[in-house]
Amino acid sequence: GSYSGEFGASKTFTTGRWRHRLGLAARGREVQRSYGAGDVRDFGQGFVGVQTLVPEPAFAFGPLSHEETRQGTVGLSYDGLWTGVGQAGVGVQKTFYRHVIDQPGLPRATSNADPLLFNLSSSLFLGSKLALYASMTRGLEESGTAPGNAVNRGQAMPASITAQIDAGVRYALTPHLKLVAGLFQVEKPYFNLNRANVFGPLGQVRHRGLEVSLAGPAAPGLTVVAGAVLIDPRVTGEPVARGLVGPIPVGPSPLTGLVTLQYQPASWRGFSVDG
């Protein structure tokens, strides 16, 4: 079960060629999970196509595991648009995070964090079709718990501070069809099993790459949404320098792509073909 809510207020005003927007936001969420306590019975060997009737066993279910996450955030933001020239934005957030796990036979595991987060963004308009953009974000990400095959199974991992920077160009091929190409870098702690089979942070993981996207109507009735991401993932830190952890993290795919097409001419009266 989960509950979340948000309150926001904003003020927009204009001074000359500048349009300003001030924002205030407060957010909160609570997530509660109950899981586990299952029981397993072995009915022996079975054969495909042969019906086997067995009596219902007397299952013995154990106590449940309980997990609770609470987070509250208060933030201020500013966005400014200089007509025909560019725009800039800045935001600051203070967040309070708490994660509690109660598992049968294990001590209570907790993870707390109350960092100050921020984001910066800017754009520069180089004519009616071309724009440059850049942004920087500092965020908070849940890191989960140690898996069941770890020595410290069930232990709550500390929430991770993440950092992201990106920059690129936006070009309007037509008034509605836009091409975006940019470079990005994301850094956060790297969690995995060490040589002692203990799950925890093993350094920093860095995802650096290139992303390209094309979106909008390409022809009458034809809409395209296409994109590709090329990632160079790397792990750094003392375990890597000592040869205890490899420099390539498990999981990320170095190249992903997606092309979606929708053909819906006006004469079809609302019907479309998608691929």
Side-chain angles (χ1 to χ4, degrees):
S2 64
Y3 300 90
S4 63
E6 178 177 351
F7 168 82
S10 64
K11 171 67 175 178
T12 302
F13 57 97
T14 302
T15 56
R17 295 177 61 188
W18 279 91
R19 187 183 68 188
H20 310 272
R21 181 181 180 276
L22 297 173
L24 168 67
R27 305 179 184 90
R29 70 183 183 101
E30 179 185 73
V31 181
Q32 296 190 8
R33 298 177 60 237
S34 297
Y35 55 91
D39 192 17
V40 178
R41 289 291 185 268
D42 185 1
F43 294 134
Q45 190 177 35
F47 298 91
V48 175
V50 178
Q51 185 181 29
T52 303
L53 299 178
V54 295
E56 180 180 349
F59 290 109
F61 300 115
L64 290 168
S65 297
H66 300 282
E67 188 173 342
E68 181 181 75
T69 301
R70 291 185 177 183
Q71 185 174 4
T73 304
V74 178
L76 295 171
S77 64
Y78 166 79
D79 292 290
L81 173 64
W82 189 359
T83 305
V85 178
Q87 63 186 84
V90 58
V92 179
Q93 300 181 81
K94 182 65 174 180
T95 187
F96 303 89
Y97 170 86
R98 177 175 173 82
H99 188 196
V100 179
I101 303 173
D102 288 305
Q103 289 185 305
L106 296 175
R108 167 173 282 194
T110 61
S111 175
N112 300 284
D114 57 350
L116 187 66
L117 309 176
F118 67 87
N119 63 278
L120 304 170
S121 64
S122 62
S123 297
L124 179 63
F125 306 144
L126 303 178
S128 60
K129 293 185 176 182
L130 181 64
L132 306 180
Y133 71 88
S135 69
M136 176 185 298
T137 303
R138 184 175 190 257
L140 182 71
E141 182 178 286
E142 288 192 77
S143 303
T145 60
N149 60 325
V151 172
N152 59 332
R153 66 182 180 91
Q155 181 181 349
M157 295 294 103
S160 301
I161 297 295
T162 64
Q164 175 177 321
I165 57 175
D166 67 310
V169 298
R170 293 192 299 263
Y171 184 75
L173 299 174
T174 70
H176 302 290
L177 181 63
K178 296 183 179 180
L179 176 68
V180 179
L183 301 172
F184 65 89
Q185 177 173 296
V186 181
E187 292 183 319
K188 59 184 178 180
Y190 179 60
F191 290 86
N192 213 321
L193 294 167
N194 64 15
R195 300 181 72 176
N197 207 39
V198 176
F199 188 85
L202 295 179
Q204 290 285 118
V205 60
R206 183 212 69 201
H207 292 166
R208 181 181 293 170
L210 167 69
E211 56 184 349
V212 180
S213 66
L214 178 68
L222 178 63
T223 301
V224 57
V225 177
V229 179
L230 178 66
I231 296 181
D232 177 31
R234 286 291 184 270
V235 178
T236 60
E238 181 184 355
V240 178
R242 295 171 56 192
L244 304 179
V245 177
I248 307 299
V250 176
S253 175
L255 177 63
T256 57
L258 173 69
V259 177
T260 301
L261 302 174
Q262 182 185 68
Y263 186 57
Q264 187 178 22
S267 60
W268 288 13
R269 298 180 179 273
F271 287 96
S272 67
V273 175
D274 306 73

